[in-house]
Amino acid sequence: MASQSLSIHDTGGLFQIAEPEDRKGRARRPGFGVGIDLGTTHSLVAVAPRGAEPRPLADAEGRALLPSIVSYAGDAAVVGYAAAREQLEHPSRVVSSVKRFMGRGLEDITFSHPYRVVPDPQTPGLLRLDVGPAAPGGAPRLRTPIEVSAEILAVLKRRAEAELGAPVDGAVITVPAYFDDAQRQATRDAGRIAGLKVYRLLAEPTAAALAYGLDRGGEGLFAVYDLGGGTFDISVLRLRAGVFQVIATGGDSALGGDDFDRALAAHLLERAGATAPSDLQREEARLVARAAKEALSERERVTVSLPGVGLRDAVVTRDELDAQIDALVRRTVKACRATLRDAGVRAQELDGVVMVGGSTRVPLVRARVEKLFGRPPLTDIDPDKVVADGAAIQADILSGSAREGVTLLDVVPLSLGLETMGGIVEKVIPRNATIPIRARQVFTNYSEQQTGMTFHVVQGERELAADCRSLARFELKGIPRLPPSMARVEVSFQLDADALLTVTARELMTGVKQSVEVKPTYGLSSDEVDRLVMESLDNAGEDFAARDLAEARVELGRVVLAVRAALQEVGHLEAILPADERAGVEAALAGADAAMHQPDADAAAIRSALGQLERASEPFARRRMERALNAGMEGKSLFEVEDTLAGEAALDERRGGHSPELVDDDPGAPARAEQDVQKDS
Ligand code: ADP
Ligand code: MG
């Protein structure tokens, strides 16, 4: 086994263990952090101040749900139940389900709706809704979906301030897991317009999982089944080291409780013998059907009347409802199966299924979900409120409060991670993870010359190691010579209940192993933690750019190295690299060098050089691989063939090559393994 060396350069403050006195003395920012579920049908705001249990906030009439409806029938916008009442009379000026328009352009609107939509004159690619003039005869008002959503958020913000008697500092707003950048940005902008500091957007299924405290387990696989008014979403989450990652999402953006209402309404109209109902009769039937459906979640039978079509005191049973919605519920089950398949997960492997959305109160839905997953779903928390609850918990943490609901002492105040190539930090244990905890991550080599790896353990929230606190360094030697990305080094971080951190690195092929222990010290004050967290929030934009640039540089460096090695190995063979092509490859290499050494190059410039190099060297790489395969079949030892094949597989992936020469050991930082780069946002 190869020799190993160990050196610890710094064992500086790892943990802040707060004493009870500390907690009281801790400076709080004046406002509260709130959680907001900005839903298609309903929205709501919840708080979990200073570690308390989350609770939704109600309006003066005691209603927590705010219909996501904004009326522009008058000159001032009206939101919620009052807006819903104006809908029948002014269908085109009362905006409902505005979430479907967020961050979308005209070409994205393929569903039917009663509004006139026009391209946004200010932002190409987005749209506006014509909500009519403020007063008769006035100019039409064009509202962006962002502005409409901001009206809803502003009402919730005011509600929270009235209830809490303190300003709202900021909010965590939830979005569907599948929302793209434009939709997320639109949601952020809506928050800002409403006067909220948006701490972060949180995926709805992740919020639901947080509300159930599923993060406390440290590890697990969960499904979140969310059936709302107009949409069905199914998500599969993986929890690792206390962090949720959405590994697959699916569903149906045009399937929800509204469809149940329509199905039951059609049935009622049929029972009444109304073969050609008017719009008004249809609307009446829909409203009655909705009320009946909701009542049937609690009762076996209800009595309904549809005066418009002469139906009086008719009994509707739950079985009757079930028969009408059976096909719709089946569609959700089918979508669940497809998403489980995408996630590569079998239903039995799940550690829990969370129910979200008002429509999951329907007993048939619960029964079908239970059957599919082979276990009763989690329904203890009100399915309307669970998303807002989770957002509130997250908001409380981000507003600077240490959650005391868990055990305060057992929380990692700042993330722990490793420096990877390019000085980038890969977080292994996130901030606020509860201890004891163990997290593993696989890293890989950067080049074949890398037979050793230096592990630099850091703590902090920033993206670059230089901006974090250095805790320890150690080396793992004796990594077998393998082409770039082929070596697999598993690094585990283990934090025991006494807050002692042990970092172990193990090469998976040979089993060579090295570990280091970092003793806790008590050097970090609460204020210091607060400051570091705030700094990471303040610098989030720049940090992201710096990380992006560093990653682009690492990637380009890796490809340059591989192409150089390939040139050295077979570049002289005309059959593999014709002279004219060689000139192109060399020009691209020179371009790559220039980009690498350009001090103010941005990530886009580096990526463009990378693209050029990949394109220029692609035919060369392909011919080299073919030759290697042929050579491998002709009289080489098995070991050589395997070696070549392994190398070529990497070559194929990386469009580079590997050098057969042996050079001095080159211990460097580990590179991130590809499968480990995804994190839930
Ligand atoms: P969204 O996430 O789209 O805003 P919600 O989660 O608020 O939607 O769900 C709204 C839907 O839930 C409506 O179709 C409503 O009829 C339905 N719903 C609410 N309560 C019940 C109930 N008790 N039984 C059945 N369906 C219900
Ligand atoms: Mg919802």
Side-chain angles (χ1 to χ4, degrees), residues 36-38 99 172-180 184 187-188 198-211 224 226 233-238 243-249 354 356 386-392 394 398 679-681:
I36 295 180
D37 173 3
L38 185 59
K99 192 168 175 177
V172 168
I173 303 178
T174 58
V175 290
Y178 57 79
F179 252 28
D180 66 20
R184 283 169 199 256
T187 307
R188 273 188 182 282
V198 181
Y199 294 144
R200 65 173 285 186
L201 302 176
L202 183 64
E204 288 162 11
T206 305
L210 282 174
V224 179
D226 180 350
D233 299 320
I234 172 76
S235 316
V236 179
L237 309 183
R238 185 190 299 284
V243 173
F244 288 103
Q245 185 187 347
V246 178
I247 56 177
T249 64
V354 177
V356 179
V386 59
V387 167
D389 279 2
Q394 187 72 28
L398 294 174
K679 282 262 162 83
D680 180 22
S681 67

Short mmCIF file of all heavy atoms in Angstrom, two decimals, residues 36-38 99 172-180 184 187-188 198-211 224 226 233-238 243-249 354 356 386-392 394 398 679-681:
data_model
loop_
_atom_site.label_atom_id
_atom_site.label_comp_id
_atom_site.label_asym_id
_atom_site.label_seq_id
_atom_site.Cartn_x
_atom_site.Cartn_y
_atom_site.Cartn_z
N ILE A 36 -44.47 31.85 2.47
CA ILE A 36 -45.65 32.10 1.64
C ILE A 36 -45.80 31.01 0.59
O ILE A 36 -44.87 30.73 -0.17
CB ILE A 36 -45.58 33.48 0.96
CG1 ILE A 36 -45.62 34.59 2.02
CG2 ILE A 36 -46.74 33.66 -0.04
CD1 ILE A 36 -45.57 36.00 1.47
N ASP A 37 -46.98 30.40 0.59
CA ASP A 37 -47.34 29.46 -0.48
C ASP A 37 -48.15 30.27 -1.48
O ASP A 37 -49.29 30.63 -1.21
CB ASP A 37 -48.16 28.31 0.11
CG ASP A 37 -48.73 27.37 -0.95
OD1 ASP A 37 -48.44 27.57 -2.15
OD2 ASP A 37 -49.47 26.45 -0.57
N LEU A 38 -47.53 30.61 -2.60
CA LEU A 38 -48.21 31.40 -3.64
C LEU A 38 -48.82 30.40 -4.62
O LEU A 38 -48.19 30.01 -5.59
CB LEU A 38 -47.17 32.31 -4.32
CG LEU A 38 -47.67 33.32 -5.35
CD1 LEU A 38 -48.67 34.29 -4.76
CD2 LEU A 38 -46.49 34.09 -5.94
N LYS A 99 -50.77 32.28 -11.68
CA LYS A 99 -49.51 31.52 -11.61
C LYS A 99 -49.16 30.86 -12.95
O LYS A 99 -48.00 30.68 -13.29
CB LYS A 99 -49.65 30.47 -10.51
CG LYS A 99 -48.36 29.78 -10.10
CD LYS A 99 -48.61 29.00 -8.82
CE LYS A 99 -47.42 28.16 -8.38
NZ LYS A 99 -47.69 27.50 -7.09
N VAL A 172 -39.80 33.49 2.52
CA VAL A 172 -39.47 32.34 1.66
C VAL A 172 -40.75 32.07 0.89
O VAL A 172 -41.81 31.89 1.48
CB VAL A 172 -39.07 31.11 2.50
CG1 VAL A 172 -39.01 29.87 1.63
CG2 VAL A 172 -37.73 31.36 3.18
N ILE A 173 -40.67 32.11 -0.43
CA ILE A 173 -41.85 31.88 -1.27
C ILE A 173 -41.66 30.55 -1.97
O ILE A 173 -40.58 30.26 -2.49
CB ILE A 173 -42.03 33.02 -2.29
CG1 ILE A 173 -42.12 34.38 -1.57
CG2 ILE A 173 -43.28 32.80 -3.15
CD1 ILE A 173 -42.24 35.58 -2.52
N THR A 174 -42.73 29.76 -1.99
CA THR A 174 -42.59 28.44 -2.62
C THR A 174 -42.99 28.49 -4.09
O THR A 174 -43.84 29.29 -4.50
CB THR A 174 -43.43 27.38 -1.90
OG1 THR A 174 -44.81 27.80 -1.92
CG2 THR A 174 -42.98 27.19 -0.47
N VAL A 175 -42.35 27.64 -4.87
CA VAL A 175 -42.65 27.50 -6.30
C VAL A 175 -42.68 26.01 -6.63
O VAL A 175 -42.04 25.21 -5.94
CB VAL A 175 -41.57 28.17 -7.19
CG1 VAL A 175 -41.62 29.69 -7.07
CG2 VAL A 175 -40.17 27.66 -6.87
N PRO A 176 -43.41 25.63 -7.69
CA PRO A 176 -43.37 24.21 -8.07
C PRO A 176 -41.93 23.81 -8.39
O PRO A 176 -41.14 24.62 -8.88
CB PRO A 176 -44.24 24.17 -9.33
CG PRO A 176 -45.15 25.35 -9.21
CD PRO A 176 -44.33 26.41 -8.53
N ALA A 177 -41.62 22.56 -8.13
CA ALA A 177 -40.25 22.08 -8.34
C ALA A 177 -39.82 22.25 -9.80
O ALA A 177 -38.65 22.43 -10.10
CB ALA A 177 -40.15 20.62 -7.92
N TYR A 178 -40.80 22.18 -10.73
CA TYR A 178 -40.44 22.21 -12.14
C TYR A 178 -40.33 23.64 -12.69
O TYR A 178 -40.04 23.82 -13.86
CB TYR A 178 -41.47 21.42 -12.97
CG TYR A 178 -42.88 21.94 -12.78
CD1 TYR A 178 -43.30 23.09 -13.43
CD2 TYR A 178 -43.75 21.31 -11.91
CE1 TYR A 178 -44.58 23.60 -13.22
CE2 TYR A 178 -45.03 21.81 -11.69
CZ TYR A 178 -45.42 22.94 -12.34
OH TYR A 178 -46.66 23.46 -12.13
N PHE A 179 -40.60 24.65 -11.88
CA PHE A 179 -40.54 26.03 -12.38
C PHE A 179 -39.15 26.30 -12.97
O PHE A 179 -38.13 25.97 -12.36
CB PHE A 179 -40.79 27.02 -11.22
CG PHE A 179 -42.14 27.70 -11.29
CD1 PHE A 179 -43.21 27.09 -11.91
CD2 PHE A 179 -42.34 28.96 -10.72
CE1 PHE A 179 -44.46 27.71 -11.96
CE2 PHE A 179 -43.57 29.60 -10.77
CZ PHE A 179 -44.64 28.96 -11.39
N ASP A 180 -39.12 26.92 -14.15
CA ASP A 180 -37.84 27.23 -14.77
C ASP A 180 -37.33 28.59 -14.28
O ASP A 180 -37.97 29.24 -13.45
CB ASP A 180 -37.93 27.15 -16.30
CG ASP A 180 -38.83 28.22 -16.88
OD1 ASP A 180 -39.10 29.23 -16.21
OD2 ASP A 180 -39.27 28.04 -18.04
N ARG A 184 -39.20 31.37 -11.95
CA ARG A 184 -38.65 31.67 -10.62
C ARG A 184 -38.33 33.15 -10.50
O ARG A 184 -38.62 33.80 -9.50
CB ARG A 184 -37.39 30.84 -10.35
CG ARG A 184 -37.73 29.42 -10.01
CD ARG A 184 -36.52 28.51 -10.01
NE ARG A 184 -36.98 27.15 -10.13
CZ ARG A 184 -37.02 26.27 -9.12
NH1 ARG A 184 -36.57 26.60 -7.95
NH2 ARG A 184 -37.51 25.06 -9.29
N THR A 187 -41.34 35.14 -9.95
CA THR A 187 -41.84 35.02 -8.58
C THR A 187 -41.03 35.91 -7.63
O THR A 187 -41.58 36.60 -6.77
CB THR A 187 -41.79 33.54 -8.13
OG1 THR A 187 -42.48 32.75 -9.11
CG2 THR A 187 -42.43 33.35 -6.77
N ARG A 188 -39.72 35.89 -7.82
CA ARG A 188 -38.85 36.77 -7.01
C ARG A 188 -39.24 38.23 -7.19
O ARG A 188 -39.34 39.00 -6.24
CB ARG A 188 -37.40 36.65 -7.47
CG ARG A 188 -36.66 35.56 -6.82
CD ARG A 188 -35.18 35.64 -7.20
NE ARG A 188 -34.49 34.53 -6.57
CZ ARG A 188 -34.15 34.50 -5.29
NH1 ARG A 188 -34.38 35.55 -4.52
NH2 ARG A 188 -33.58 33.45 -4.78
N VAL A 198 -36.96 38.64 -0.62
CA VAL A 198 -37.16 37.21 -0.85
C VAL A 198 -35.88 36.49 -0.44
O VAL A 198 -34.89 36.51 -1.14
CB VAL A 198 -37.51 36.92 -2.33
CG1 VAL A 198 -37.73 35.43 -2.54
CG2 VAL A 198 -38.75 37.70 -2.74
N TYR A 199 -35.92 35.87 0.75
CA TYR A 199 -34.72 35.17 1.23
C TYR A 199 -34.33 34.10 0.23
O TYR A 199 -33.19 33.94 -0.13
CB TYR A 199 -34.99 34.45 2.55
CG TYR A 199 -35.27 35.32 3.73
CD1 TYR A 199 -36.20 34.91 4.68
CD2 TYR A 199 -34.59 36.52 3.94
CE1 TYR A 199 -36.45 35.66 5.81
CE2 TYR A 199 -34.84 37.27 5.07
CZ TYR A 199 -35.77 36.84 6.00
OH TYR A 199 -36.03 37.58 7.11
N ARG A 200 -35.33 33.34 -0.18
CA ARG A 200 -35.09 32.34 -1.21
C ARG A 200 -36.42 31.77 -1.67
O ARG A 200 -37.44 31.92 -1.00
CB ARG A 200 -34.18 31.21 -0.72
CG ARG A 200 -34.76 30.37 0.38
CD ARG A 200 -33.87 29.19 0.68
NE ARG A 200 -33.99 28.16 -0.35
CZ ARG A 200 -33.41 26.97 -0.27
NH1 ARG A 200 -32.66 26.68 0.75
NH2 ARG A 200 -33.58 26.08 -1.21
N LEU A 201 -36.38 31.13 -2.83
CA LEU A 201 -37.54 30.40 -3.30
C LEU A 201 -37.31 28.96 -2.87
O LEU A 201 -36.18 28.49 -2.85
CB LEU A 201 -37.65 30.48 -4.82
CG LEU A 201 -37.75 31.89 -5.39
CD1 LEU A 201 -37.76 31.82 -6.91
CD2 LEU A 201 -39.01 32.60 -4.89
N LEU A 202 -38.37 28.29 -2.52
CA LEU A 202 -38.24 26.92 -2.04
C LEU A 202 -39.19 26.05 -2.85
O LEU A 202 -40.33 26.44 -3.09
CB LEU A 202 -38.62 26.90 -0.55
CG LEU A 202 -38.49 25.60 0.22
CD1 LEU A 202 -37.04 25.15 0.28
CD2 LEU A 202 -39.03 25.78 1.65
N ALA A 203 -38.71 24.89 -3.28
CA ALA A 203 -39.58 23.98 -4.03
C ALA A 203 -40.74 23.53 -3.13
O ALA A 203 -40.52 23.20 -1.97
CB ALA A 203 -38.79 22.79 -4.54
N GLU A 204 -41.94 23.54 -3.68
CA GLU A 204 -43.12 23.18 -2.87
C GLU A 204 -42.97 21.79 -2.21
O GLU A 204 -43.25 21.67 -1.00
CB GLU A 204 -44.39 23.26 -3.72
CG GLU A 204 -44.76 24.72 -4.02
CD GLU A 204 -45.73 24.88 -5.19
OE1 GLU A 204 -46.30 23.87 -5.65
OE2 GLU A 204 -45.92 26.02 -5.64
N PRO A 205 -42.56 20.76 -2.93
CA PRO A 205 -42.44 19.46 -2.26
C PRO A 205 -41.40 19.47 -1.14
O PRO A 205 -41.57 18.82 -0.11
CB PRO A 205 -42.03 18.50 -3.38
CG PRO A 205 -41.56 19.36 -4.50
CD PRO A 205 -42.29 20.66 -4.36
N THR A 206 -40.33 20.23 -1.33
CA THR A 206 -39.31 20.31 -0.29
C THR A 206 -39.90 20.98 0.95
O THR A 206 -39.65 20.55 2.09
CB THR A 206 -38.09 21.10 -0.79
OG1 THR A 206 -37.63 20.49 -1.99
CG2 THR A 206 -36.97 21.10 0.23
N ALA A 207 -40.69 22.02 0.73
CA ALA A 207 -41.33 22.71 1.85
C ALA A 207 -42.22 21.74 2.62
O ALA A 207 -42.21 21.70 3.85
CB ALA A 207 -42.14 23.91 1.35
N ALA A 208 -42.98 20.94 1.88
CA ALA A 208 -43.89 20.00 2.54
C ALA A 208 -43.09 18.99 3.37
O ALA A 208 -43.46 18.66 4.50
CB ALA A 208 -44.75 19.28 1.49
N ALA A 209 -41.97 18.54 2.81
CA ALA A 209 -41.15 17.57 3.53
C ALA A 209 -40.56 18.21 4.79
O ALA A 209 -40.49 17.57 5.84
CB ALA A 209 -40.04 17.05 2.62
N LEU A 210 -40.17 19.47 4.70
CA LEU A 210 -39.63 20.18 5.88
C LEU A 210 -40.69 20.30 6.97
O LEU A 210 -40.41 20.16 8.15
CB LEU A 210 -39.18 21.59 5.49
CG LEU A 210 -37.85 21.73 4.77
CD1 LEU A 210 -37.64 23.19 4.35
CD2 LEU A 210 -36.71 21.28 5.66
N ALA A 211 -41.94 20.58 6.53
CA ALA A 211 -43.01 20.75 7.51
C ALA A 211 -43.20 19.47 8.32
O ALA A 211 -43.50 19.52 9.51
CB ALA A 211 -44.31 21.14 6.81
N VAL A 224 -43.81 13.26 -2.86
CA VAL A 224 -44.77 14.27 -2.46
C VAL A 224 -45.85 14.31 -3.54
O VAL A 224 -45.56 14.58 -4.71
CB VAL A 224 -44.12 15.66 -2.28
CG1 VAL A 224 -45.16 16.69 -1.89
CG2 VAL A 224 -43.00 15.60 -1.25
N ASP A 226 -49.08 16.08 -4.78
CA ASP A 226 -49.73 17.39 -4.59
C ASP A 226 -50.85 17.57 -5.60
O ASP A 226 -50.60 17.81 -6.78
CB ASP A 226 -48.66 18.49 -4.74
CG ASP A 226 -49.25 19.91 -4.56
OD1 ASP A 226 -50.48 20.06 -4.51
OD2 ASP A 226 -48.44 20.86 -4.50
N ASP A 233 -49.03 17.61 -9.18
CA ASP A 233 -47.57 17.47 -9.20
C ASP A 233 -47.15 16.29 -8.35
O ASP A 233 -47.60 16.15 -7.22
CB ASP A 233 -46.89 18.71 -8.61
CG ASP A 233 -47.21 19.97 -9.38
OD1 ASP A 233 -47.26 19.89 -10.62
OD2 ASP A 233 -47.43 21.02 -8.75
N ILE A 234 -46.29 15.49 -8.89
CA ILE A 234 -45.69 14.41 -8.10
C ILE A 234 -44.17 14.60 -8.14
O ILE A 234 -43.62 14.85 -9.21
CB ILE A 234 -46.13 13.01 -8.63
CG1 ILE A 234 -45.36 11.88 -7.92
CG2 ILE A 234 -46.00 12.87 -10.13
CD1 ILE A 234 -45.83 11.61 -6.52
N SER A 235 -43.55 14.54 -6.98
CA SER A 235 -42.10 14.73 -6.92
C SER A 235 -41.48 13.62 -6.09
O SER A 235 -42.08 13.15 -5.12
CB SER A 235 -41.75 16.06 -6.23
OG SER A 235 -42.59 17.08 -6.70
N VAL A 236 -40.29 13.23 -6.48
CA VAL A 236 -39.53 12.28 -5.68
C VAL A 236 -38.32 13.04 -5.14
O VAL A 236 -37.60 13.69 -5.91
CB VAL A 236 -39.09 11.05 -6.50
CG1 VAL A 236 -38.28 10.10 -5.63
CG2 VAL A 236 -40.30 10.35 -7.08
N LEU A 237 -38.15 13.00 -3.84
CA LEU A 237 -37.04 13.72 -3.20
C LEU A 237 -36.08 12.73 -2.57
O LEU A 237 -36.50 11.74 -2.00
CB LEU A 237 -37.54 14.61 -2.06
CG LEU A 237 -38.69 15.57 -2.30
CD1 LEU A 237 -38.94 16.38 -1.04
CD2 LEU A 237 -38.37 16.50 -3.44
N ARG A 238 -34.81 13.07 -2.68
CA ARG A 238 -33.82 12.30 -1.95
C ARG A 238 -33.25 13.21 -0.86
O ARG A 238 -32.90 14.35 -1.13
CB ARG A 238 -32.70 11.84 -2.88
CG ARG A 238 -31.69 10.92 -2.18
CD ARG A 238 -30.47 10.68 -3.04
NE ARG A 238 -30.79 10.04 -4.31
CZ ARG A 238 -31.08 8.76 -4.46
NH1 ARG A 238 -31.09 7.96 -3.40
NH2 ARG A 238 -31.35 8.26 -5.64
N VAL A 243 -30.12 17.48 3.34
CA VAL A 243 -30.48 18.36 2.23
C VAL A 243 -31.36 17.59 1.26
O VAL A 243 -31.04 16.47 0.86
CB VAL A 243 -29.23 18.85 1.48
CG1 VAL A 243 -29.61 19.62 0.23
CG2 VAL A 243 -28.39 19.72 2.39
N PHE A 244 -32.48 18.22 0.89
CA PHE A 244 -33.37 17.57 -0.07
C PHE A 244 -32.93 17.88 -1.48
O PHE A 244 -32.57 19.01 -1.81
CB PHE A 244 -34.80 18.06 0.10
CG PHE A 244 -35.45 17.53 1.33
CD1 PHE A 244 -35.60 18.33 2.43
CD2 PHE A 244 -35.89 16.22 1.38
CE1 PHE A 244 -36.19 17.85 3.59
CE2 PHE A 244 -36.48 15.73 2.52
CZ PHE A 244 -36.64 16.54 3.63
N GLN A 245 -33.01 16.86 -2.30
CA GLN A 245 -32.73 17.04 -3.71
C GLN A 245 -33.94 16.47 -4.44
O GLN A 245 -34.38 15.36 -4.14
CB GLN A 245 -31.48 16.25 -4.04
CG GLN A 245 -30.99 16.42 -5.43
CD GLN A 245 -29.84 15.46 -5.71
OE1 GLN A 245 -29.28 14.85 -4.80
NE2 GLN A 245 -29.51 15.32 -6.97
N VAL A 246 -34.51 17.27 -5.35
CA VAL A 246 -35.65 16.78 -6.12
C VAL A 246 -35.07 15.92 -7.24
O VAL A 246 -34.35 16.43 -8.09
CB VAL A 246 -36.45 17.95 -6.71
CG1 VAL A 246 -37.62 17.43 -7.54
CG2 VAL A 246 -36.97 18.87 -5.59
N ILE A 247 -35.31 14.61 -7.21
CA ILE A 247 -34.67 13.80 -8.24
C ILE A 247 -35.58 13.54 -9.43
O ILE A 247 -35.09 13.20 -10.49
CB ILE A 247 -34.07 12.48 -7.70
CG1 ILE A 247 -35.10 11.63 -6.98
CG2 ILE A 247 -32.90 12.76 -6.77
CD1 ILE A 247 -34.53 10.29 -6.52
N ALA A 248 -36.87 13.73 -9.28
CA ALA A 248 -37.75 13.64 -10.45
C ALA A 248 -39.05 14.34 -10.15
O ALA A 248 -39.51 14.34 -9.01
CB ALA A 248 -38.01 12.17 -10.81
N THR A 249 -39.61 14.96 -11.15
CA THR A 249 -40.93 15.56 -10.98
C THR A 249 -41.78 15.16 -12.17
O THR A 249 -41.28 14.88 -13.25
CB THR A 249 -40.90 17.10 -10.95
OG1 THR A 249 -40.45 17.57 -12.23
CG2 THR A 249 -40.02 17.64 -9.88
N VAL A 354 -45.89 12.12 1.18
CA VAL A 354 -46.52 13.28 1.79
C VAL A 354 -47.68 13.74 0.91
O VAL A 354 -47.54 13.83 -0.31
CB VAL A 354 -45.50 14.45 1.92
CG1 VAL A 354 -46.17 15.69 2.49
CG2 VAL A 354 -44.32 14.02 2.78
N VAL A 356 -50.20 16.68 -0.24
CA VAL A 356 -50.29 18.14 -0.30
C VAL A 356 -51.45 18.52 -1.21
O VAL A 356 -51.73 17.84 -2.19
CB VAL A 356 -48.98 18.74 -0.88
CG1 VAL A 356 -49.08 20.25 -0.97
CG2 VAL A 356 -47.77 18.33 -0.07
N VAL A 386 -49.56 22.74 4.51
CA VAL A 386 -48.27 22.10 4.76
C VAL A 386 -47.13 22.81 4.02
O VAL A 386 -46.03 22.95 4.56
CB VAL A 386 -48.38 20.58 4.45
CG1 VAL A 386 -48.80 20.31 3.03
CG2 VAL A 386 -47.10 19.86 4.77
N VAL A 387 -47.39 23.30 2.83
CA VAL A 387 -46.33 23.96 2.06
C VAL A 387 -45.93 25.28 2.73
O VAL A 387 -44.75 25.59 2.91
CB VAL A 387 -46.77 24.17 0.59
CG1 VAL A 387 -45.84 25.14 -0.13
CG2 VAL A 387 -46.81 22.82 -0.13
N ALA A 388 -46.92 26.04 3.15
CA ALA A 388 -46.63 27.32 3.81
C ALA A 388 -45.90 27.08 5.13
O ALA A 388 -44.99 27.83 5.50
CB ALA A 388 -47.92 28.10 4.05
N ASP A 389 -46.27 26.00 5.84
CA ASP A 389 -45.60 25.68 7.10
C ASP A 389 -44.11 25.45 6.88
O ASP A 389 -43.26 25.96 7.62
CB ASP A 389 -46.19 24.39 7.70
CG ASP A 389 -47.48 24.64 8.46
OD1 ASP A 389 -47.93 25.80 8.49
OD2 ASP A 389 -48.03 23.67 9.01
N GLY A 390 -43.80 24.66 5.86
CA GLY A 390 -42.39 24.37 5.58
C GLY A 390 -41.64 25.64 5.20
O GLY A 390 -40.50 25.85 5.63
N ALA A 391 -42.29 26.49 4.42
CA ALA A 391 -41.66 27.75 4.02
C ALA A 391 -41.40 28.62 5.25
O ALA A 391 -40.38 29.30 5.36
CB ALA A 391 -42.54 28.49 3.02
N ALA A 392 -42.34 28.57 6.21
CA ALA A 392 -42.19 29.39 7.42
C ALA A 392 -40.99 28.91 8.24
O ALA A 392 -40.24 29.72 8.79
CB ALA A 392 -43.47 29.32 8.26
N GLN A 394 -38.32 27.45 7.10
CA GLN A 394 -37.12 27.88 6.38
C GLN A 394 -36.88 29.38 6.57
O GLN A 394 -35.76 29.83 6.77
CB GLN A 394 -37.30 27.54 4.90
CG GLN A 394 -36.08 27.77 4.06
CD GLN A 394 -35.01 26.74 4.33
OE1 GLN A 394 -35.28 25.63 4.72
NE2 GLN A 394 -33.77 27.13 4.14
N LEU A 398 -33.68 31.46 8.10
CA LEU A 398 -32.96 32.46 7.32
C LEU A 398 -33.07 33.86 7.92
O LEU A 398 -32.28 34.73 7.60
CB LEU A 398 -33.45 32.46 5.87
CG LEU A 398 -33.14 31.18 5.11
CD1 LEU A 398 -33.78 31.20 3.74
CD2 LEU A 398 -31.64 30.97 4.99
N LYS A 679 -27.86 19.69 -6.80
CA LYS A 679 -28.37 20.06 -5.48
C LYS A 679 -29.72 20.72 -5.68
O LYS A 679 -29.91 21.42 -6.66
CB LYS A 679 -27.42 21.05 -4.79
CG LYS A 679 -26.20 20.38 -4.19
CD LYS A 679 -26.38 20.14 -2.70
CE LYS A 679 -25.41 19.12 -2.17
NZ LYS A 679 -24.12 19.72 -1.88
N ASP A 680 -30.60 20.49 -4.75
CA ASP A 680 -31.90 21.15 -4.84
C ASP A 680 -31.69 22.64 -4.62
O ASP A 680 -30.90 23.05 -3.81
CB ASP A 680 -32.80 20.59 -3.75
CG ASP A 680 -34.16 21.22 -3.77
OD1 ASP A 680 -34.54 21.76 -4.82
OD2 ASP A 680 -34.84 21.16 -2.75
N SER A 681 -32.41 23.44 -5.38
CA SER A 681 -32.20 24.89 -5.21
C SER A 681 -33.24 25.47 -4.29
O SER A 681 -34.37 25.07 -4.28
CB SER A 681 -32.28 25.59 -6.55
OG SER A 681 -33.59 25.51 -7.05
#
